[in-house]
Amino acid sequence: MTFSVTIAGFMRLARLVVGILLSLLVLSGTAAAQSPRPVQPPAGGSPAELIIGIKLAPPFAYKRQDGTWTGLSVDLWQRIADSLQLQYRFEEVGTVQEQIAGVASGRFDAATAAITVTAEREKTVDFTQPFYATGLGIAIPASREPSWRPLLNALTSFGFVQAILALIGISLLVGLLIWLFERRDNEDFGGGVAKGMFASLWWATNAATQATTGNFGPRSVPGQVLAVVWMIGSILGIAIFTAGVTSVLTVNQLEGLVQNEGDLKSVRVGNVEASSTAAYLDATQVRHRDYPTVQAGLEALRANQIDAFVYDRPLLNWLISQDYASSLQLLDTTFVKQNYAIALPNNSALREPVNVSLIQTVESDWWKQLVFQYLGEK
């Protein structure tokens, strides 16, 4: 009896110990799952240091006088790196294409500045969540000397050609009717079909331009009625036509050759070579001249070598306000939506923690104040 009681007590004690051990095992597993994983930098830099590809793209990335980097994208990356306790150094390149190629090859662990997310770039690298939404802008000269180009554009436009053809067609019709009315009783329009038709057309042209025809003209009642209608109609038609041409020339002279993106096909356009802007211009069949940098394109615009320069609006706005305020201006239009993001290698271990930190940052008041500081946007 005593032995059986002892055995039963031992079994209860054993079950209690096993239960405690299992509980401890579950708790330790839960704690391990909830503890933050350290971010391991991908291959391409030393274990303690990430290499970040960067390029000049003020106000998103530019250098102070002491050579250190600053800007909207730089400050954002520094805040993310601080929150994740990442060690890093910047390595400068000349173009966005070099940034993308460096990330894709493993040379860079990330790249930032003003990198537009595109479908073509997504094929080779990964991107974080966008941190800034913008679009393309158009820079034009602030003032223009009088040019023959507005006149040439107006005279070769479809509307102008259409109006000329309409006037010629109506003149031919009036001449034909005058000849039909006058050919039998008016020797001025007689003498065969060819001679009569030529005389009728000559009269119709002179009447439309208000040139004197002397005694040369219709004598029959139908012919004279038609002549009165034609003279009045031609006065109104020429007045409307002249007003239209004058309006086109005045608008072009006052507002310039380029007023919005719809005018780009008819002017000389510049952009940065191999950029997302170039891809857009190619897709919309806008002929363009390529320049190695934004500054080179703006210099060409100031020298009147091109009529418009198309690029990312915030970058154009910054450069014009800093270096070209007296010679260039930015049109008040934004087109083609663009998103800036940080480029990462495919399957990067940084993607998830960087995204979380980035989203938290751009939702904060700190980010709003930073955007206002650099871009003047609320």
Side-chain angles (χ1 to χ4, degrees), residues 288-299:
H288 53 88
R289 299 181 187 178
D290 295 335
Y291 295 91
T293 63
V294 181
Q295 290 83 348
L298 293 179
E299 286 295 335

Side-chain angles (χ1 to χ4, degrees), residues 278-307:
Y280 164 76
L281 295 175
D282 289 336
T284 54
Q285 299 181 342
V286 174
R287 291 177 297 176
H288 53 88
R289 299 181 187 178
D290 295 335
Y291 295 91
T293 63
V294 181
Q295 290 83 348
L298 293 179
E299 286 295 335
L301 181 62
R302 181 161 61 178
N304 286 328
Q305 297 173 5
I306 54 178
D307 301 308

Side-chain angles (χ1 to χ4, degrees), residues 54-247:
I54 198 167
K55 70 173 289 291
L56 284 172
F60 291 86
Y62 60 98
K63 290 182 179 179
R64 301 185 181 95
Q65 291 184 348
D66 61 2
T68 58
W69 286 92
T70 187
L72 189 64
S73 297
V74 174
D75 291 359
L76 173 63
W77 172 258
Q78 289 173 341
R79 189 172 180 92
I80 292 172
D82 289 345
S83 70
L84 299 177
Q85 299 181 349
L86 300 175
Q87 299 296 318
Y88 64 91
R89 64 181 174 87
F90 291 122
E91 184 171 315
E92 184 180 359
V93 294
T95 66
V96 174
Q97 289 67 39
E98 291 180 80
Q99 287 183 292
I100 298 298
V103 172
S105 66
R107 173 186 172 189
F108 300 142
D109 300 304
T112 189
I115 304 177
T116 302
V117 179
T118 68
E120 190 65 28
R121 292 170 182 172
E122 277 277 12
K123 295 178 182 178
T124 56
V125 299
D126 202 355
F127 287 99
T128 63
Q129 291 291 321
F131 62 83
Y132 188 76
T134 181
L136 297 181
I138 303 174
I140 61 172
S143 61
R144 266 192 181 276
E145 295 297 325
S147 170
W148 54 267
R149 290 180 61 85
L151 177 61
L152 179 62
N153 290 340
L155 295 180
T156 57
S157 66
F158 176 75
F160 182 87
V161 174
Q162 195 176 33
I164 291 293
L165 292 177
L167 286 174
I168 293 174
I170 296 174
S171 296
L172 290 173
L173 177 61
V174 170
L176 175 62
L177 292 176
I178 289 294
W179 176 71
L180 290 175
F181 292 149
E182 301 294 322
R183 59 195 171 104
R184 293 177 181 173
D185 302 321
N186 191 336
E187 62 275 10
D188 292 336
F189 301 97
V193 176
K195 182 181 178 182
M197 279 295 299
F198 180 80
S200 299
L201 293 175
W202 177 255
W203 176 87
T205 303
N206 278 279
T209 58
Q210 308 305 306
T212 179
T213 59
N215 295 324
F216 174 56
R219 298 174 184 172
S220 66
V221 174
Q224 290 176 341
V225 171
L226 179 60
V228 171
V229 173
W230 173 236
M231 289 179 181
I232 296 175
S234 63
I235 291 173
L236 295 176
I238 291 176
I240 293 172
F241 175 77
T242 303
V245 173
T246 303
S247 175

